[in-house]
């Protein structure tokens, strides 16, 4: 039988393990021994009466029952953080400067900002949404406290990393002519996604022509939906009702991947710590996160 109360510390460790996909990485982030983290996970499984984590050669992923608990645990911890923020930091003021790569913050940013504001209503949030190179420059200039950008753009060690799969995408009724240059809808320079797109086509010796360029994700989406050409988009920007993913059967390369990182300048400060957790919960894919790979 599930107990009437669940230990918040166990839930927080469990969510972190799901996010990082590794008990050893969880132990490192929590400043605990790996054996202690393993013991916590066994305790939680015994309390719930279900197996919550599946061990793989690469780490851990939630079982179907674990996914259900993960959803509840995130909500429980979010409410706990909100209450602690409102009651424990009622006089805390100041500003938090955040820089986010636009292409991966399209959907999650409003929820993340709303959750943070409920925890720290007196903190002014200054958010810059731009391409990764611009965010990297702000980070280098110490103009922002938190950043999410491609790891290729920022040389510092990220707090957490994850990969984003990029799909070749066209309008729902778009037809790609195999005998003509591929019409491309691309982000403006400088852009890692654009470089990866052009490099992939060059490797295939596939001719192309750029039909539309913009630095704005909404403009890129509109161009794709109106059949101006093929774009390389992440899951944040896909609109299944008006777009379709192309594949190698269409003569294009397989989906590409790009690594992103969450960078925190003062992650142990209470305000920054809550912001880090909020961004992880709302933007970072749950079991796609890992330490930075070189």
């Amino acid at each position: 039988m599930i107990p009437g109360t669940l230990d918040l510390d166990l839930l927080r460790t469990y969510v972190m393990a799901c996010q990082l996909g590794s008990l050893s990485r969880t132990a490192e982030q929590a400043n605990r021994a790996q054996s202690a983290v393993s013991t916590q996970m066994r305790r939680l499984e015994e309390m719930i009466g279900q197996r919550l984590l599946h061990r793989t050669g690469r780490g851990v992923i939630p079982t179907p029952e674990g996914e259900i608990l993960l959803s509840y645990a995130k909500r429980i911890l979010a409410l706990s953080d909100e209450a602690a923020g409102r009651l424990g930091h009622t006089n805390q003021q100041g500003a938090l400067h955040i820089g986010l790569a636009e292409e991966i913050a399209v959907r999650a940013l409003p929820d993340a900002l709303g959750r943070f504001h409920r925890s720290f209503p007196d903190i002014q949030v200054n958010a810059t949404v731009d391409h990764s190179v611009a965010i990297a420059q702000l980070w280098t200039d110490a103009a922002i406290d938190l950043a999410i950008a491609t790891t290729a753009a920022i040389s510092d060690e990220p707090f957490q990393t994850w990969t984003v799969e990029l799909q070749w995408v066209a309008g729902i009724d778009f037809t790609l002519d195999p005998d003509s240059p591929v019409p491309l809808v691309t982000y403006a320079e400088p852009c890692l996604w654009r470089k990866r797109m052009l490099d992939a086509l060059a490797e295939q010796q596939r001719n192309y022509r750029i039909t539309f360029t913009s630095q704005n994700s909404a403009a890129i989406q509109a161009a794709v939906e109106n059949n101006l050409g093929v774009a390389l988009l992440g899951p944040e920007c896909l609109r299944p009702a008006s777009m379709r993913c192309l594949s190698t059967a269409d003569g294009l390369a397989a989906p590409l991947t790009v690594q992103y990182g969450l960078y925190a300048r003062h992650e142990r400060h209470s305000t920054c710590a809550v912001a880090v957790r909020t961004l992880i919960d709302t933007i970072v894919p749950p079991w796609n996160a890992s330490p930075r790979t070189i």
Side-chain angles (χ1 to χ4, degrees), residues 47-208:
M47 291 172 64
I48 299 296
Q50 300 280 355
R51 186 180 180 187
L52 302 174
L53 292 174
H54 174 65
R55 276 72 174 175
T56 70
R58 299 178 58 185
V60 295
I61 59 174
T63 63
E65 293 77 15
E67 291 182 19
I68 295 173
L69 178 63
L70 179 62
S71 175
Y72 282 107
K74 284 184 172 183
R75 289 155 60 187
I76 291 169
L77 294 172
L79 286 172
S80 174
D81 290 342
E82 181 179 332
R86 292 298 299 271
L87 299 174
H89 306 282
T90 51
N91 297 320
Q92 192 158 338
Q93 297 180 343
L96 182 70
H97 302 271
I98 303 174
L100 301 170
E102 182 192 22
E103 65 272 14
I104 64 166
V106 175
R107 296 178 187 170
L109 182 59
D111 181 43
L113 294 180
R115 284 180 53 179
F116 181 81
H117 177 70
R118 289 192 293 272
S119 294
F120 294 93
D122 296 323
I123 294 291
Q124 177 183 333
V125 177
N126 298 319
T128 300
V129 179
D130 209 329
H131 55 81
S132 286
V133 175
I135 299 302
Q137 187 60 54
L138 291 174
W139 178 261
T140 300
D141 295 341
I144 50 179
D145 305 301
L146 294 173
I148 289 182
T150 60
T151 55
I154 298 179
S155 59
D156 290 345
E157 189 72 18
F159 180 79
Q160 188 165 329
T161 64
W162 66 99
T163 56
V164 173
E165 185 175 76
L166 307 180
Q167 297 278 354
W168 299 92
V169 179
I172 197 74
D173 55 355
F174 178 84
T175 301
L176 183 61
D177 185 351
D179 298 320
S180 298
V182 180
L184 296 181
V185 173
T186 74
Y187 283 96
E189 292 279 20
C191 176
L192 177 62
W193 289 19
R194 176 187 174 118
K195 182 178 185 303
R196 293 291 304 278
M197 170 190 273
L198 300 185
D199 287 348
L201 291 171
E203 287 177 10
Q204 288 189 303
Q205 298 183 333
R206 188 75 188 266
N207 292 327
Y208 63 84

Side-chain angles (χ1 to χ4, degrees), residues 268-284:
R268 297 200 181 280
H269 185 277
S270 59
T271 306
C272 203
V274 172
V276 166
R277 287 199 299 270
T278 300
L279 289 173
I280 288 175
D281 287 348
T282 54
I283 294 179
V284 180

